[in-house]
């Protein structure tokens, strides 16, 4: 779950994040700086791993599986345990360890999101409804069988990074920030967690897959490359869900055309859907052609070329449905927050950054700036938190002290400063694909996602070496960041992933 990736969304992030909880163990040193205070951390141990037998019906077949909630220690260079990372695993019964049964490791993003969204929304054996139009925080959090689950062709391990879910640091805040809350350190310890789980569970001989959503999609190629080159663990395939890949494609000023051309197709797709028109490759082809062609030329020519400027304004206004006068005033440069604020202002509504056609009442419709939370983020914390906590504590019987952080504001606030200006995982993406000629990659998006526009991935993949052709695929579905909340898109996603696994 990506929370903050574009200029101008800081206020949205602040409104969307939940308050800080006890997932981080911070030093208490009075007025002393944290770095000078003595550690006074004393947390009760997490429960031992606990498992429960469950069944589900998938594709007309009953599957028997074991659900496990447990934790793995993270150690420093001296062997001291400095964190506990909690995982949720689903393993199909009857498949002995060490066989050819695949295992997939799943991460969400943020930074600051637990893996509950992929787990109980997209690919786990059970799901709770969230992320679609009409969903509300007070909806029942009851879990039902997930028709889009991957469990029939792979075991699943969902990992909660430090500070999310029940995972926690056992060291002071400054050490926590240095060890866990940075782009590179995050990849380092999470890669080791994957390795440790494989060893602990006797699965080193199994085919391994890595999947991640949003910032988890940023993690996926980096973790894959670290496993390949540092831990001697080959990865058979990678699935990136609504990934954030390259900050340089989404951050720019008046000169660079990249942020404007990468977001326009998603705005246009949202407008087509709002009008009840079909969305797909055919409908999007002329829009994409304009974005990567005439729009680039028009932007670079600037307002000094009246014909080019008029062409830019006409196309952008038509595709977005915004007032041409506003588009002209902004020079054809429409950022996602302006689009969300202005497109439905007359209706007194505000759209979600993650799917602009999921809307909520705007509590401050006459305000110049947005003063409300995101319609999707505000509605998903309650059902996902309630569903997972009930599952872990009542169904599995794994009861930890402390709160569960589906989205942690504390992690976001303490993450590496200024990381976004240079963060990218395209380099690791290319290296990982080149390192293993048999590894396959599937990148998936929702057409209407403004937080992680699909067109960024389209351009990234188009620029990859020809040797990657046939092994790297992009699929885009109706919907937004969590397109899988829509049954048809979830089913299409499952079908594409099954093809990647070559599942029957």
């Amino acid at each position: 779950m990506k929370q903050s990736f574009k200029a101008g969304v800081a206020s949205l992030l602040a409104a969307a994040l939940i308050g800080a909880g006890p997932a981080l163990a911070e030093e208490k040193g009075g007025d002393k700086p944290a770095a000078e205070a003595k550690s006074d951390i004393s947390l009760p141990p997490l429960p031992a791993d606990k498992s429960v037998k469950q069944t589900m019906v998938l594709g007309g077949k009953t599957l028997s599986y074991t659900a496990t909630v447990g934790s793995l220690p993270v150690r420093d260079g001296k062997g001291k345990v400095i964190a506990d990372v909690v995982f949720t695993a689903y393993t199909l019964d009857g498949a002995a360890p060490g066989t050819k049964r695949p295992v997939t490791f799943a991460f969400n993003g943020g930074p600051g999101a637990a893996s509950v969204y992929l787990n109980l929304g997209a690919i786990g054996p059970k799901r709770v409804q969230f992320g679609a139009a009409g969903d509300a925080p007070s909806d029942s959090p009851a879990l039902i069988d997930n028709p889009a689950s991957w469990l029939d062709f792979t075991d699943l391990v969902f990992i909660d990074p430090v500070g999310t879910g029940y995972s926690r640091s056992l060291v002071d805040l400054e050490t926590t920030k240095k060890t866990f809350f940075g782009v590179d350190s995050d990849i380092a310890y999470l890669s080791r967690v994957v390795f440790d789980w494989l060893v602990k569970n006797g699965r080193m001989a199994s085919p391994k897959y890595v999947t991640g959503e949003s910032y988890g999609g940023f993690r996926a190629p980096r973790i894959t490359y670290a496993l390949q080159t540092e831990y001697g663990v080959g990865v058979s395939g990678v699935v990136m869900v609504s990934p954030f890949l390259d900050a340089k494609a989404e951050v720019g000023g008046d000169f660079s055309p990249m942020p404007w051309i990468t977001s326009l197709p998603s705005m246009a797709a949202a407008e087509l859907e709002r009008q009840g028109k079909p969305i797909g490759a055919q409908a999007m082809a002329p829009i994409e052609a304009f974005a990567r062609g005439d729009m680039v030329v028009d932007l670079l020519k600037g307002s000094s070329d009246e014909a080019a400027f008029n062409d830019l304004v006409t196309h952008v206004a038509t595709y977005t449905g915004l007032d041409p006068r506003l588009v002209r005033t902004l020079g054809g440069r429409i950022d996602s927050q302006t689009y969300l604020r202005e497109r439905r202002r007359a209706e007194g509504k505000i759209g979600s950054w993650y799917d602009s056609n999921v809307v909520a009442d705007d509590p401050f419709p006459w305000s110049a700036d947005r003063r409300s939370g995101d319609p999707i983020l505000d509605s998903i914390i309650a059902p996902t938190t309630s569903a997972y906590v009930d599952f872990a504590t009542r169904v599995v019987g794994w009861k930890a002290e402390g709160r569960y952080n589906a989205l942690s504001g504390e992690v976001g606030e303490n993450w590496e400063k200024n990381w976004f200006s240079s963060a990218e995982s395209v380099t690791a993406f290319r290296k990982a694909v080149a390192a293993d000629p048999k590894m396959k990659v599937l990148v998936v998006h929702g057409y209407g996602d403004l937080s992680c526009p699909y067109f960024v991935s389209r351009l990234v993949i188009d620029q990859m070496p020809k040797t990657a052709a046939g092994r790297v695929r992009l699929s885009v579905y109706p919907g937004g960041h969590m397109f899988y909340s829509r049954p048809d898109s979830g089913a299409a996603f499952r079908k594409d992933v099954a093809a990647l696994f070559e599942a029957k």
Side-chain angles (χ1 to χ4, degrees):
M1 177 72 61
K2 189 181 70 168
Q3 298 173 23
S4 172
F5 286 138
K6 281 193 175 182
V9 301
S11 60
L12 172 61
L13 173 61
L17 290 172
I18 60 175
L24 306 186
E26 182 175 356
E27 286 183 339
K28 305 298 181 182
D31 295 330
K32 293 182 180 180
E36 297 178 8
K38 291 184 178 180
S39 178
D40 188 24
I41 298 168
S42 180
L43 296 175
L46 291 178
D49 297 1
K50 188 125 187 198
S51 300
V52 65
K53 297 291 186 181
Q54 292 199 298
T55 62
M56 72 169 299
V57 176
L58 183 60
K61 297 180 180 180
T62 299
L63 301 181
S64 298
Y65 63 95
T66 300
T68 301
V69 178
S71 63
L72 289 165
V74 178
R75 301 179 184 275
D76 63 14
K78 297 180 180 179
K80 176 185 175 182
V81 176
I82 57 174
D84 295 314
V85 171
V86 176
F87 64 86
T88 307
Y90 305 98
T91 54
L92 195 68
D93 292 347
T99 67
K100 292 185 178 180
R101 170 80 175 165
V103 57
T104 298
F105 296 90
F107 302 86
N108 268 96
S115 60
V116 65
Y117 306 100
L118 283 176
N119 182 359
L120 300 186
I123 66 176
K126 305 289 183 180
R127 72 183 303 269
V128 63
Q129 178 60 37
F130 65 85
D135 293 343
S138 58
D139 289 342
S140 171
L143 293 175
I144 60 174
D145 288 350
N146 180 12
S149 178
W150 302 357
L151 187 60
D152 53 338
F153 52 80
T154 179
D155 291 337
L156 298 162
V157 183
F158 298 89
I159 296 175
D160 293 337
V162 170
T164 75
Y166 287 115
S167 296
R168 61 192 190 178
S169 172
L170 301 175
V171 291
D172 63 83
L173 179 59
E174 290 306 311
T175 304
T176 296
K177 290 163 65 175
K178 180 179 179 180
T179 309
F180 303 112
F181 294 166
V183 173
D184 293 334
S185 58
D186 174 77
I187 300 302
Y189 87 86
L190 290 176
S191 300
R192 178 58 189 265
V193 166
V194 171
F195 178 85
D196 288 346
W197 190 94
L198 289 167
V199 172
K200 178 180 180 179
N201 291 275
R203 300 298 295 271
M204 288 295 287
S206 298
K208 300 97 178 167
Y209 290 77
V210 177
T211 189
E213 179 182 6
S214 199
Y215 190 80
F218 175 90
R219 285 173 169 137
R222 285 193 164 208
I223 289 175
T224 296
Y225 189 61
L227 290 172
Q228 289 173 329
T229 59
E230 297 179 31
Y231 290 96
V233 175
V235 175
S236 298
V238 180
V239 181
M240 290 181 267
V241 184
S242 305
F244 161 68
L245 290 177
D246 191 349
K248 295 187 290 296
E250 299 188 52
V251 175
D254 295 329
F255 183 74
S256 172
M258 289 304 296
W260 320 117
I261 68 173
T262 56
S263 60
L264 179 68
S266 290
M267 296 180 192
E271 181 64 13
L272 288 174
E273 182 178 73
R274 194 191 69 83
Q275 296 175 12
K277 297 179 179 179
I279 305 172
Q282 184 175 356
M284 296 305 298
I287 301 168
E288 292 183 12
F290 171 74
R292 71 197 309 171
D294 289 347
M295 186 176 186
V296 177
V297 175
D298 292 346
L299 284 166
L300 293 180
K301 284 184 176 180
S303 59
S304 60
D305 188 318
E306 186 175 354
F309 187 66
N310 288 337
D311 180 69
L312 175 66
V313 170
T314 298
H315 278 87
V316 171
T318 299
Y319 289 146
T320 63
L322 292 173
D323 187 332
R325 293 171 298 180
L326 174 65
V327 176
R328 181 173 293 276
T329 298
L330 297 176
R333 295 160 169 82
I334 307 299
D335 67 272
S336 60
Q337 294 307 309
T338 296
Y339 174 78
L340 293 172
R341 188 83 181 112
E342 300 301 331
R343 187 63 190 89
R344 296 181 183 269
R345 182 189 284 273
E347 305 170 37
K349 303 286 187 180
I350 193 75
S352 171
W353 196 36
Y354 302 93
D355 184 340
S356 62
N357 283 310
V358 175
V359 301
D361 291 339
D362 187 349
F364 305 99
W366 302 289
S367 173
D369 299 317
R370 178 178 184 150
R371 295 167 59 190
S372 61
D374 184 89
I376 285 182
L377 288 190
D378 281 357
S379 69
I380 67 176
I381 293 175
T384 54
T385 300
S386 296
Y388 184 84
V389 171
D390 181 66
F391 168 74
T393 60
R394 182 181 62 82
V395 178
V396 180
W398 190 88
K399 299 181 180 181
E401 295 187 34
R403 68 175 285 182
Y404 176 84
N405 287 287
L407 283 173
S408 171
E410 195 170 358
V411 172
E413 292 165 5
N414 288 290
W415 197 260
E416 177 182 341
K417 303 303 180 186
N418 303 316
W419 66 275
F420 183 64
S421 62
S422 60
E424 59 88 16
S425 62
V426 177
T427 298
F429 185 4
R430 288 191 176 205
K431 288 181 177 180
V433 171
D436 190 336
K438 294 184 178 180
M439 188 180 76
K440 297 180 181 180
V441 179
L442 176 64
V443 183
V444 296
H445 283 270
Y447 277 113
D449 182 11
L450 296 179
S451 66
C452 292
Y454 81 91
F455 205 50
V456 174
S457 293
R458 174 88 73 199
L459 297 176
V460 166
I461 292 172
D462 285 350
Q463 294 298 320
M464 293 187 72
K466 290 184 178 180
T467 52
R471 295 194 292 122
V472 179
R473 178 185 173 191
L474 173 68
S475 291
V476 191
Y477 316 102
H481 196 73
M482 289 164 281
F483 57 84
Y484 47 76
S485 64
R486 304 187 185 194
D488 289 346
S489 293
F493 177 37
R494 171 185 152 79
K495 182 178 179 181
D496 287 338
V497 174
L500 180 80
F501 279 78
E502 298 180 347
K504 303 297 184 181

